[in-house]
Amino acid sequence: MPPQWAGLSPELLLSVDRDSGEQLRAQLERQVRDAIRTGRLGAGERLPSSRELARELGLSRGLVQDCYAQLQAEGYLVTRVGSATRVAAGAHVPPGPASPDPAAPRLIADFRHGVPDLGSFPLADWLWATREAGRAMPTADLDYGDPRGSSVLREVVAGYLRRVRAAAADPERIVVCSGYAQGLGLTLRSLALAGVRVVAYEDPGGPATASAAAGAAGLTAVPVPVDEDGIDVRALDATGARAVIVTPAHQWPTGVVLAPARRLALIEWATRRDAYVIEDDYDAEFRYDREPVGALQGLAADRVVSIGTVSKSLAPALRIGWLLCPPAFAVPVAEAKRLTDRGSPTLDQLALAKLIESGRYDRHLRRMRTVYAARRTALVTALATHAPEVRLTGLAAGFHAVLHLAATADERSVVAAARDRSVGLYGMSACRSGHASTPAQLVLGFGDVGERAIAEGMAAVGDLLTTDARPAGRS
């Protein structure tokens, strides 16, 4: 075995029965052969070295070597001198999930929304922060710890949110979670225990997420319309709900900002109804043509649960978020978190704290504002060239926009026709309660699409978007 593999031989669950009457070598060959046939061992996987497997099973090394030689002769294994023994690429294994069709055309541009520029993730900074956090981490932090999360991260996040979002952030009432979905689930479960039975959500908004989370908590979810000033508080009041999910700083997906009068009305509603507002503060860091808007939680910390994450600012894969809880819910939410998973990974929390404390997080956000602003400009320019009659809204912040198709257009047909031209477009209907397809609109995400791809993508589908165009296949 090469030196770099010393002590790194993989484990494999096998056993031998010395009282069965079957030869030990035959037992071993049969078990390895079956493991490959059933897919327990996939093509290319390493097997334990003959020395390690012999030691584990109390067999002679020669017997294991003979077994490996026989399976190699049958085409199950590949064994080379000085290299690990692996499952052969042509070994018979059952087919797995269907692979993507290699003949399927690669998209020129995919305007998928809700995804940041994954290629700009500050990997070097994150690795630096992880090393620094690991170097300074006390041994006690390797224990389960506080289900609310690392006290270090909670202190840092509280300071950051006070500074950047004008939030009333008390680290004692912050609970670290694994992203928005978990944060929403923990909140709704706690509200259900407090007697809440109906939760409202914005329409258009995220009906699938809201309904799924509400159903899991035993609540009923009801839609409330959104207009140019944000959620309609009068319509909300009529639902009888005692909780509502809102995106006040940059409404998802329309992009409108909750008007000052509506903010006050929403807080008055919550106070009068003994209700709670769940604020999804999802992409407030990225703004272009407007003054910053503070978190709603800063105006009514006793009535607003604010959920924030790094899914848009860094990457969804980190699975780190936080809840700013009202005093009445800090303990129930923390208990719900403890019962769910006993707390989020501590080292990742400490790395994020280090990233923020060092100023590298702010530096990354400044750089990404420039990147997204350039992509927004590229989108506006491309549409002005290839579809000048269409209207684009929701561009003041974030990294998505709403494109308004002609009144006669069929949203789903436009999306399908664009896919035939290797461009990914996405309709507003998925964001509406009941998935209504009128008015015909598209939600164009430009976070993970380069400027060149934006230009090429719009050039390919511009005629589908113009007011006098008809989607392919329609008269």
Short mmCIF file of all heavy atoms in Angstrom, two decimals, residues 275-323:
data_model
loop_
_atom_site.label_atom_id
_atom_site.label_comp_id
_atom_site.label_asym_id
_atom_site.label_seq_id
_atom_site.Cartn_x
_atom_site.Cartn_y
_atom_site.Cartn_z
N ALA A 275 -51.41 39.33 17.55
CA ALA A 275 -50.88 38.53 16.46
C ALA A 275 -49.37 38.77 16.30
O ALA A 275 -48.79 39.63 16.97
CB ALA A 275 -51.61 38.88 15.16
N TYR A 276 -48.77 38.01 15.38
CA TYR A 276 -47.33 38.11 15.17
C TYR A 276 -47.00 38.19 13.68
O TYR A 276 -47.67 37.58 12.84
CB TYR A 276 -46.61 36.92 15.80
CG TYR A 276 -46.69 36.96 17.31
CD1 TYR A 276 -47.77 36.37 17.98
CD2 TYR A 276 -45.74 37.63 18.05
CE1 TYR A 276 -47.87 36.44 19.36
CE2 TYR A 276 -45.84 37.71 19.44
CZ TYR A 276 -46.91 37.11 20.08
OH TYR A 276 -47.02 37.21 21.44
N VAL A 277 -45.97 38.96 13.39
CA VAL A 277 -45.49 39.14 12.03
C VAL A 277 -44.19 38.35 11.88
O VAL A 277 -43.27 38.50 12.70
CB VAL A 277 -45.24 40.62 11.71
CG1 VAL A 277 -44.69 40.78 10.28
CG2 VAL A 277 -46.53 41.43 11.88
N ILE A 278 -44.12 37.52 10.86
CA ILE A 278 -42.89 36.77 10.56
C ILE A 278 -42.24 37.46 9.38
O ILE A 278 -42.76 37.44 8.26
CB ILE A 278 -43.21 35.31 10.23
CG1 ILE A 278 -43.97 34.66 11.39
CG2 ILE A 278 -41.92 34.54 9.92
CD1 ILE A 278 -44.56 33.30 11.04
N GLU A 279 -41.11 38.10 9.63
CA GLU A 279 -40.41 38.90 8.62
C GLU A 279 -39.32 38.08 7.97
O GLU A 279 -38.36 37.66 8.63
CB GLU A 279 -39.81 40.15 9.28
CG GLU A 279 -38.98 41.01 8.35
CD GLU A 279 -38.39 42.22 9.05
OE1 GLU A 279 -38.09 42.12 10.26
OE2 GLU A 279 -38.22 43.26 8.39
N ASP A 280 -39.45 37.86 6.67
CA ASP A 280 -38.41 37.19 5.89
C ASP A 280 -37.50 38.28 5.33
O ASP A 280 -37.81 38.91 4.34
CB ASP A 280 -39.05 36.36 4.78
CG ASP A 280 -38.03 35.66 3.88
OD1 ASP A 280 -36.83 35.73 4.18
OD2 ASP A 280 -38.45 35.06 2.88
N ASP A 281 -36.35 38.47 5.96
CA ASP A 281 -35.42 39.54 5.59
C ASP A 281 -34.37 38.96 4.64
O ASP A 281 -33.19 38.88 4.97
CB ASP A 281 -34.77 40.11 6.85
CG ASP A 281 -34.26 41.53 6.68
OD1 ASP A 281 -34.84 42.27 5.86
OD2 ASP A 281 -33.29 41.89 7.36
N TYR A 282 -34.79 38.57 3.45
CA TYR A 282 -34.00 37.63 2.65
C TYR A 282 -32.89 38.22 1.79
O TYR A 282 -31.90 37.55 1.54
CB TYR A 282 -34.93 36.77 1.77
CG TYR A 282 -35.59 37.51 0.63
CD1 TYR A 282 -35.12 37.38 -0.67
CD2 TYR A 282 -36.69 38.32 0.84
CE1 TYR A 282 -35.73 38.05 -1.73
CE2 TYR A 282 -37.32 38.99 -0.20
CZ TYR A 282 -36.83 38.85 -1.48
OH TYR A 282 -37.43 39.51 -2.52
N ASP A 283 -33.03 39.44 1.28
CA ASP A 283 -31.95 39.96 0.43
C ASP A 283 -31.77 41.47 0.58
O ASP A 283 -31.41 42.16 -0.38
CB ASP A 283 -32.16 39.59 -1.05
CG ASP A 283 -33.33 40.33 -1.69
OD1 ASP A 283 -34.04 41.05 -0.97
OD2 ASP A 283 -33.53 40.20 -2.91
N ALA A 284 -32.01 41.98 1.78
CA ALA A 284 -31.98 43.43 2.01
C ALA A 284 -30.57 44.02 1.83
O ALA A 284 -30.43 45.24 1.70
CB ALA A 284 -32.49 43.75 3.41
N GLU A 285 -29.55 43.16 1.79
CA GLU A 285 -28.18 43.70 1.64
C GLU A 285 -27.94 44.30 0.27
O GLU A 285 -27.02 45.13 0.11
CB GLU A 285 -27.15 42.57 1.86
CG GLU A 285 -27.15 41.98 3.26
CD GLU A 285 -28.04 40.76 3.36
OE1 GLU A 285 -28.87 40.54 2.46
OE2 GLU A 285 -27.90 40.02 4.36
N PHE A 286 -28.73 43.90 -0.72
CA PHE A 286 -28.45 44.31 -2.10
C PHE A 286 -29.51 45.32 -2.56
O PHE A 286 -30.65 44.98 -2.81
CB PHE A 286 -28.43 43.08 -3.02
CG PHE A 286 -27.48 42.01 -2.55
CD1 PHE A 286 -27.95 40.79 -2.10
CD2 PHE A 286 -26.12 42.25 -2.52
CE1 PHE A 286 -27.07 39.82 -1.65
CE2 PHE A 286 -25.23 41.28 -2.08
CZ PHE A 286 -25.70 40.07 -1.64
N ARG A 287 -29.10 46.57 -2.65
CA ARG A 287 -30.00 47.65 -3.08
C ARG A 287 -29.22 48.55 -4.03
O ARG A 287 -28.00 48.64 -3.98
CB ARG A 287 -30.50 48.44 -1.87
CG ARG A 287 -29.37 49.05 -1.05
CD ARG A 287 -29.85 49.71 0.22
NE ARG A 287 -28.74 50.33 0.94
CZ ARG A 287 -27.93 49.70 1.75
NH1 ARG A 287 -28.09 48.42 1.99
NH2 ARG A 287 -26.92 50.33 2.35
N TYR A 288 -29.97 49.24 -4.90
CA TYR A 288 -29.33 50.03 -5.95
C TYR A 288 -29.89 51.45 -6.04
O TYR A 288 -29.16 52.41 -5.86
CB TYR A 288 -29.49 49.32 -7.31
CG TYR A 288 -29.18 47.84 -7.23
CD1 TYR A 288 -30.20 46.89 -7.26
CD2 TYR A 288 -27.87 47.38 -7.07
CE1 TYR A 288 -29.92 45.53 -7.17
CE2 TYR A 288 -27.58 46.03 -6.98
CZ TYR A 288 -28.61 45.11 -7.02
OH TYR A 288 -28.33 43.78 -6.92
N ASP A 289 -31.18 51.59 -6.28
CA ASP A 289 -31.76 52.90 -6.58
C ASP A 289 -32.60 53.45 -5.45
O ASP A 289 -33.53 54.22 -5.67
CB ASP A 289 -32.64 52.81 -7.85
CG ASP A 289 -31.83 52.37 -9.05
OD1 ASP A 289 -30.62 52.63 -9.07
OD2 ASP A 289 -32.42 51.77 -9.96
N ARG A 290 -32.34 53.06 -4.24
CA ARG A 290 -33.17 53.55 -3.14
C ARG A 290 -32.36 53.60 -1.86
O ARG A 290 -31.29 52.99 -1.75
CB ARG A 290 -34.39 52.63 -2.94
CG ARG A 290 -34.00 51.29 -2.37
CD ARG A 290 -35.20 50.48 -1.92
NE ARG A 290 -34.75 49.40 -1.05
CZ ARG A 290 -35.31 48.21 -1.00
NH1 ARG A 290 -36.34 47.93 -1.78
NH2 ARG A 290 -34.87 47.29 -0.17
N GLU A 291 -32.88 54.32 -0.88
CA GLU A 291 -32.25 54.37 0.43
C GLU A 291 -32.49 53.04 1.15
O GLU A 291 -33.48 52.35 0.89
CB GLU A 291 -32.85 55.52 1.25
CG GLU A 291 -32.51 56.90 0.72
CD GLU A 291 -31.01 57.16 0.74
OE1 GLU A 291 -30.37 56.85 1.77
OE2 GLU A 291 -30.47 57.62 -0.27
N PRO A 292 -31.59 52.66 2.05
CA PRO A 292 -31.78 51.40 2.77
C PRO A 292 -33.06 51.43 3.61
O PRO A 292 -33.45 52.48 4.14
CB PRO A 292 -30.53 51.29 3.65
CG PRO A 292 -29.99 52.68 3.74
CD PRO A 292 -30.34 53.34 2.44
N VAL A 293 -33.70 50.30 3.71
CA VAL A 293 -34.92 50.16 4.51
C VAL A 293 -34.61 49.27 5.70
O VAL A 293 -34.12 48.14 5.53
CB VAL A 293 -36.05 49.52 3.66
CG1 VAL A 293 -37.31 49.35 4.51
CG2 VAL A 293 -36.34 50.38 2.44
N GLY A 294 -34.87 49.76 6.90
CA GLY A 294 -34.58 49.00 8.11
C GLY A 294 -35.52 47.83 8.28
O GLY A 294 -36.59 47.74 7.65
N ALA A 295 -35.13 46.91 9.14
CA ALA A 295 -35.96 45.74 9.42
C ALA A 295 -37.23 46.16 10.15
O ALA A 295 -37.21 47.03 11.02
CB ALA A 295 -35.19 44.73 10.25
N LEU A 296 -38.34 45.55 9.80
CA LEU A 296 -39.60 45.80 10.49
C LEU A 296 -39.48 45.44 11.97
O LEU A 296 -40.10 46.08 12.83
CB LEU A 296 -40.71 44.97 9.83
CG LEU A 296 -42.14 45.19 10.30
CD1 LEU A 296 -42.61 46.58 9.92
CD2 LEU A 296 -43.06 44.12 9.70
N GLN A 297 -38.67 44.46 12.27
CA GLN A 297 -38.49 44.01 13.65
C GLN A 297 -38.01 45.13 14.55
O GLN A 297 -38.34 45.17 15.74
CB GLN A 297 -37.50 42.84 13.67
CG GLN A 297 -37.35 42.13 14.99
CD GLN A 297 -36.22 42.71 15.86
OE1 GLN A 297 -35.48 43.59 15.40
NE2 GLN A 297 -36.10 42.22 17.07
N GLY A 298 -37.26 46.09 14.00
CA GLY A 298 -36.76 47.20 14.80
C GLY A 298 -37.85 48.12 15.31
O GLY A 298 -37.63 48.89 16.25
N LEU A 299 -39.04 48.06 14.69
CA LEU A 299 -40.16 48.91 15.10
C LEU A 299 -41.05 48.24 16.13
O LEU A 299 -41.79 48.93 16.85
CB LEU A 299 -41.01 49.29 13.88
CG LEU A 299 -40.30 50.05 12.76
CD1 LEU A 299 -41.27 50.30 11.61
CD2 LEU A 299 -39.76 51.37 13.28
N ALA A 300 -41.02 46.91 16.20
CA ALA A 300 -41.92 46.20 17.11
C ALA A 300 -41.32 44.85 17.47
O ALA A 300 -41.79 43.80 17.04
CB ALA A 300 -43.29 46.02 16.47
N ALA A 301 -40.28 44.88 18.27
CA ALA A 301 -39.55 43.66 18.59
C ALA A 301 -40.38 42.66 19.37
O ALA A 301 -40.06 41.46 19.40
CB ALA A 301 -38.28 44.00 19.39
N ASP A 302 -41.47 43.12 20.01
CA ASP A 302 -42.31 42.21 20.77
C ASP A 302 -43.38 41.53 19.91
O ASP A 302 -44.08 40.64 20.38
CB ASP A 302 -43.00 42.96 21.92
CG ASP A 302 -43.87 44.10 21.43
OD1 ASP A 302 -43.61 44.62 20.33
OD2 ASP A 302 -44.81 44.48 22.15
N ARG A 303 -43.49 41.95 18.63
CA ARG A 303 -44.52 41.40 17.75
C ARG A 303 -43.97 40.81 16.45
O ARG A 303 -44.72 40.24 15.67
CB ARG A 303 -45.54 42.50 17.40
CG ARG A 303 -46.45 42.89 18.54
CD ARG A 303 -47.44 41.77 18.83
NE ARG A 303 -48.05 41.91 20.15
CZ ARG A 303 -48.82 41.00 20.70
NH1 ARG A 303 -49.05 39.87 20.04
NH2 ARG A 303 -49.34 41.17 21.90
N VAL A 304 -42.68 40.97 16.21
CA VAL A 304 -42.09 40.53 14.94
C VAL A 304 -41.02 39.47 15.19
O VAL A 304 -40.12 39.66 16.01
CB VAL A 304 -41.48 41.71 14.17
CG1 VAL A 304 -40.86 41.22 12.86
CG2 VAL A 304 -42.53 42.78 13.89
N VAL A 305 -41.13 38.37 14.48
CA VAL A 305 -40.06 37.38 14.40
C VAL A 305 -39.35 37.63 13.08
O VAL A 305 -39.96 37.53 12.01
CB VAL A 305 -40.61 35.94 14.42
CG1 VAL A 305 -39.46 34.94 14.34
CG2 VAL A 305 -41.46 35.70 15.65
N SER A 306 -38.07 37.97 13.13
CA SER A 306 -37.33 38.25 11.90
C SER A 306 -36.39 37.09 11.59
O SER A 306 -35.63 36.65 12.46
CB SER A 306 -36.52 39.54 12.05
OG SER A 306 -35.91 39.90 10.82
N ILE A 307 -36.47 36.58 10.36
CA ILE A 307 -35.64 35.46 9.93
C ILE A 307 -34.64 35.95 8.90
O ILE A 307 -35.02 36.54 7.89
CB ILE A 307 -36.49 34.33 9.31
CG1 ILE A 307 -37.60 33.89 10.27
CG2 ILE A 307 -35.60 33.14 8.95
CD1 ILE A 307 -38.53 32.83 9.70
N GLY A 308 -33.38 35.73 9.16
CA GLY A 308 -32.32 36.08 8.22
C GLY A 308 -31.43 34.89 7.96
O GLY A 308 -31.37 33.95 8.77
N THR A 309 -30.75 34.89 6.81
CA THR A 309 -29.85 33.79 6.47
C THR A 309 -28.68 34.34 5.66
O THR A 309 -28.68 35.52 5.28
CB THR A 309 -30.54 32.70 5.61
OG1 THR A 309 -30.65 33.17 4.26
CG2 THR A 309 -31.92 32.36 6.13
N VAL A 310 -27.71 33.47 5.39
CA VAL A 310 -26.63 33.83 4.47
C VAL A 310 -26.80 33.13 3.13
O VAL A 310 -25.89 33.09 2.32
CB VAL A 310 -25.24 33.47 5.08
CG1 VAL A 310 -24.97 34.29 6.33
CG2 VAL A 310 -25.13 31.97 5.36
N SER A 311 -28.01 32.61 2.87
CA SER A 311 -28.25 31.88 1.62
C SER A 311 -28.12 32.79 0.40
O SER A 311 -27.69 32.34 -0.67
CB SER A 311 -29.64 31.24 1.63
OG SER A 311 -29.71 30.23 2.62
N LYS A 312 -28.50 34.05 0.51
CA LYS A 312 -28.39 34.98 -0.61
C LYS A 312 -27.09 35.77 -0.56
O LYS A 312 -26.52 36.10 -1.59
CB LYS A 312 -29.56 35.98 -0.60
CG LYS A 312 -30.94 35.32 -0.62
CD LYS A 312 -31.17 34.53 -1.89
CE LYS A 312 -32.60 33.99 -1.96
NZ LYS A 312 -32.86 32.91 -0.99
N SER A 313 -26.59 36.05 0.63
CA SER A 313 -25.37 36.86 0.74
C SER A 313 -24.11 36.03 0.50
O SER A 313 -23.11 36.55 -0.02
CB SER A 313 -25.30 37.52 2.12
OG SER A 313 -25.33 36.55 3.16
N LEU A 314 -24.13 34.74 0.85
CA LEU A 314 -22.97 33.87 0.65
C LEU A 314 -23.33 32.70 -0.27
O LEU A 314 -23.00 32.71 -1.44
CB LEU A 314 -22.42 33.38 1.99
CG LEU A 314 -21.74 34.42 2.86
CD1 LEU A 314 -21.40 33.86 4.24
CD2 LEU A 314 -20.46 34.94 2.19
N ALA A 315 -24.04 31.70 0.27
CA ALA A 315 -24.44 30.55 -0.54
C ALA A 315 -25.47 29.73 0.22
O ALA A 315 -25.37 29.58 1.44
CB ALA A 315 -23.23 29.68 -0.89
N PRO A 316 -26.46 29.16 -0.47
CA PRO A 316 -27.46 28.33 0.20
C PRO A 316 -26.86 27.12 0.91
O PRO A 316 -27.38 26.67 1.93
CB PRO A 316 -28.38 27.90 -0.95
CG PRO A 316 -28.19 28.92 -2.01
CD PRO A 316 -26.75 29.35 -1.91
N ALA A 317 -25.77 26.58 0.36
CA ALA A 317 -25.21 25.34 0.90
C ALA A 317 -24.70 25.47 2.32
O ALA A 317 -24.55 24.46 3.02
CB ALA A 317 -24.08 24.84 -0.01
N LEU A 318 -24.44 26.69 2.79
CA LEU A 318 -23.93 26.85 4.15
C LEU A 318 -24.98 26.49 5.19
O LEU A 318 -24.65 26.08 6.30
CB LEU A 318 -23.46 28.29 4.38
CG LEU A 318 -22.24 28.73 3.58
CD1 LEU A 318 -21.85 30.16 3.93
CD2 LEU A 318 -21.06 27.80 3.82
N ARG A 319 -26.27 26.65 4.84
CA ARG A 319 -27.37 26.32 5.75
C ARG A 319 -27.22 26.99 7.11
O ARG A 319 -27.28 26.33 8.16
CB ARG A 319 -27.51 24.79 5.94
CG ARG A 319 -27.54 23.95 4.67
CD ARG A 319 -28.49 24.47 3.61
NE ARG A 319 -29.84 24.68 4.09
CZ ARG A 319 -30.62 25.69 3.68
NH1 ARG A 319 -30.18 26.58 2.82
NH2 ARG A 319 -31.84 25.80 4.16
N ILE A 320 -27.02 28.28 7.12
CA ILE A 320 -26.93 29.05 8.36
C ILE A 320 -27.93 30.20 8.30
O ILE A 320 -27.95 30.96 7.33
CB ILE A 320 -25.52 29.62 8.59
CG1 ILE A 320 -24.48 28.50 8.65
CG2 ILE A 320 -25.48 30.43 9.90
CD1 ILE A 320 -23.05 28.99 8.81
N GLY A 321 -28.75 30.29 9.31
CA GLY A 321 -29.69 31.40 9.43
C GLY A 321 -29.89 31.73 10.89
O GLY A 321 -29.25 31.15 11.78
N TRP A 322 -30.79 32.66 11.16
CA TRP A 322 -31.06 33.06 12.55
C TRP A 322 -32.47 33.62 12.66
O TRP A 322 -33.05 34.09 11.69
CB TRP A 322 -30.03 34.09 13.02
CG TRP A 322 -29.91 35.25 12.06
CD1 TRP A 322 -30.72 36.35 11.96
CD2 TRP A 322 -28.91 35.39 11.05
NE1 TRP A 322 -30.30 37.17 10.95
CE2 TRP A 322 -29.20 36.61 10.37
CE3 TRP A 322 -27.82 34.62 10.64
CZ2 TRP A 322 -28.41 37.06 9.30
CZ3 TRP A 322 -27.06 35.07 9.57
CH2 TRP A 322 -27.35 36.28 8.92
N LEU A 323 -33.01 33.55 13.87
CA LEU A 323 -34.29 34.15 14.18
C LEU A 323 -34.11 35.17 15.29
O LEU A 323 -33.46 34.87 16.31
CB LEU A 323 -35.30 33.10 14.65
CG LEU A 323 -35.67 31.99 13.68
CD1 LEU A 323 -34.86 30.74 13.98
CD2 LEU A 323 -37.15 31.67 13.79
#
